[in-house]
Amino acid sequence: MKRALIIALALFGQPALAASISGTASVIDGDTIEVHGQRIRLHGIDSPEGRQVCDRNGKAWRCGTAAANALDGLLGRSPVRCTQKDVDRYHRIVATCTVRGIDVNDWMVRNGWAVEYRRYSRSYDDAEAEARAARRGVWASRFEMPWDWRKAQHRE
């Protein structure tokens, strides 16, 4: 199956973008969910990695785990609706998602559980500024931007 997909991509380019994907989501981490077996990367945001640790008042805390738990708490068992924007290099759908009328991507940034991934989007400037000013989520601590943390892990 994977080989057929690779051949199809080579012959015809990237698959056409799907209009939307809906269903109950499982949380993979603070910026990735799975719906009907399909991994979905939340567009324009980056959340601390599962193993990432932040420093709050001199104490280490698992901010990546906290971000994933916050996303899980938001979603619960409610159905999500995701609108595909792209496909990333790992063949995950990149999408904006809503649950119960709430923009999930914006909510994660506005509550400090993710930062705006400026390399891909500037849609969440105001949400990030609000979270930073209110010292919500990771903004209540010292932390490394997720992309810098990942880069440092690859060097080790």
Side-chain angles (χ1 to χ4, degrees):
M1 175 77 167
K2 188 174 183 179
R3 183 179 172 161
L5 176 62
I6 292 168
I7 292 168
L9 289 174
L11 292 174
F12 304 110
Q14 289 291 334
L17 297 182
S20 68
I21 300 153
S22 300
T24 303
S26 299
V27 172
I28 305 303
D29 61 26
D31 53 35
T32 307
I33 61 175
E34 188 170 290
V35 177
H36 302 301
Q38 178 65 57
R39 291 275 167 112
I40 301 170
R41 176 72 160 79
L42 299 176
H43 172 73
I45 73 170
D46 201 7
S47 185
E49 296 297 322
R51 296 185 344 264
Q52 190 169 344
V53 176
C54 299
D55 180 286
R56 184 170 42 206
N57 302 322
K59 293 188 178 185
W61 65 290
R62 297 182 57 92
C63 53
T65 300
N69 289 341
L71 178 57
D72 191 55
L74 172 66
L75 301 180
R77 300 303 297 158
S78 297
V80 298
R81 175 178 295 281
C82 299
T83 302
Q84 185 173 346
K85 297 181 88 51
D86 204 353
V87 176
D88 72 9
R89 65 183 177 175
Y90 304 108
H91 306 290
R92 296 176 297 191
I93 290 171
V94 178
T96 55
C97 299
T98 60
V99 64
R100 297 181 311 281
I102 299 166
D103 178 329
V104 173
N105 307 46
D106 182 83
W107 188 93
M108 288 296 289
V109 175
R110 196 168 300 279
N111 285 282
W113 298 117
V115 294
E116 180 178 54
Y117 207 168
R118 289 176 185 82
R119 179 176 177 185
Y120 298 102
S121 173
R122 295 301 302 240
S123 299
Y124 304 105
D125 282 341
D126 293 341
E128 185 175 296
E130 181 183 314
R132 184 185 306 215
R135 299 185 50 79
R136 292 185 194 130
V138 296
W139 296 108
S141 63
R142 286 188 18 244
F143 70 99
E144 200 170 2
M145 287 295 185
W147 51 84
D148 291 332
W149 187 87
R150 284 190 299 273
K151 194 180 298 181
Q153 299 309 299
H154 290 295
R155 280 187 247 137
E156 293 179 1

